Amino acid sequence: MLNIVLCSLFMLPAVLPQTNNPNSSACTGSTHIYYNYAPDHVAPFIAPERNMQRVQGKSGPRGQKGEPGQKGESARTEGLENRLAKVEEELTLAKRQLDALRVPPSRPTCAYYDELDFESGYYLISPDPTRFQPVYVYCNFSQHSAATIMNHDLTGEIEVERCEARKCSEVSVNYNLPLEVMIQIANLSAECKQYVKFRCQSVFLFRNSPAAAWLSRGGIAMHYWGGATSGRDYYCACGETGNCVDPVWKCNCDKNSAPEALDEGFLTTKDALPVTGFLFGDNGDNEENAWFTLGPLVCTGRQG
């Protein structure tokens, strides 16, 4: 059983245990409150407000940084890739500048790298140090003799523009090297060749009055086709070997018939190469179709 003593209105109520002290009912301000308890009950304990102290706890360790989100990770990867690409570009430029300083005048074509046992790729050559700066060309070392490769802008098979008159359509060829440099490389090489192909339907090349021609390094119209190693006018490869589809003509396309025909081969007249353009005609009707292909200029060996 609890004994309860009420304090004055200016003091907090208190609950004091029963004692033999006559002053036990005096109020002392905020006090602990105790309850008598039965054996099967645990009494609560309330500490006095004036004795309670708040202790600032120490900050715990900061948690680990979370994994970046998908968008953030993608941006970070892209940024690293861009930086890597820039570094690779700068290294390539530095290597080319260094190579330019190392190129001796004795390397005018790829054939002069033969003894170095290099792998195929782009290399600096100096065809004429007194007239031209060193230039990059593709050197093919997989052949018996190293080949200097000079490319142009007419890649793949190209459809011939429609027009009916002879030589009414003109096509220009733009190379990745100045023409004067290419001519010098050709002059310093033992051999040069360039692949040409003409695919036709009811369109002829030469016959007795040429509808087509290829243009030499000097812009001269040449009236023979790839594979005609003799360079005789109105001849194609089949005319040289004697196996054209119609023996009357020296090119397959000169039969001028509806079934598709083909004339192809290498132009090998070094002093006329590279090919600088084409002239085509006899291609104005709907049933007439023609396509042509031009390969890179390939020069091998050393002159003299």
Side-chain angles (χ1 to χ4, degrees), residues 138-300:
Y138 188 85
C139 295
N140 186 346
F141 297 116
S142 63
Q143 302 180 8
H144 176 70
S145 178
T148 305
I149 313 295
M150 289 155 276
N151 293 303
H152 52 76
D153 61 344
L154 299 179
T155 58
E157 188 176 68
I158 299 173
E159 186 173 2
V160 175
E161 180 185 10
R162 288 193 176 280
C163 65
E164 187 59 33
R166 286 168 169 77
K167 302 180 183 179
C168 55
S169 174
E170 183 173 358
V171 180
S172 298
V173 185
N174 299 305
Y175 291 87
N176 58 358
L177 293 178
L179 180 60
E180 295 80 5
V181 175
M182 297 179 67
I183 292 174
Q184 182 65 9
I185 293 173
N187 292 341
L188 292 169
S189 302
E191 298 177 349
C192 291
K193 62 182 181 179
Q194 198 160 8
Y195 174 78
V196 289
K197 180 175 73 173
F198 189 72
R199 188 163 62 91
C200 57
Q201 289 177 330
S202 299
V203 178
F204 69 89
L205 282 169
F206 307 121
R207 285 203 157 205
N208 295 324
S209 179
W214 61 272
L215 304 180
S216 70
R217 63 168 68 167
I220 300 173
M222 312 298 284
H223 299 121
Y224 63 92
W225 203 245
T229 54
S230 64
R232 289 182 289 180
D233 281 351
Y234 311 157
Y235 267 71
C236 294
C238 68
E240 293 279 351
T241 58
N243 61 350
C244 295
V245 292
D246 187 341
V248 174
W249 308 109
K250 303 305 179 183
C251 296
N252 290 319
C253 287
D254 281 359
K255 185 178 180 180
N256 198 26
S257 59
E260 184 177 301
L262 180 69
D263 288 297
E264 63 179 336
F266 283 95
L267 299 169
T268 57
T269 309
K270 189 183 76 167
D271 294 340
L273 298 174
V275 175
T276 59
F278 294 96
L279 300 172
F280 296 110
D282 185 41
N283 188 35
D285 296 336
N286 291 332
E287 66 274 10
E288 296 176 328
N289 298 283
W291 303 263
F292 74 94
T293 303
L294 176 66
L297 178 64
V298 180
C299 294
T300 57

Side-chain angles (χ1 to χ4, degrees), residues 4-23:
I4 300 176
V5 178
L6 297 179
C7 296
S8 68
L9 295 175
F10 299 100
M11 305 186 70
L12 296 174
V15 179
L16 301 176
Q18 181 74 22
T19 66
N20 295 324
N21 188 345
N23 297 322

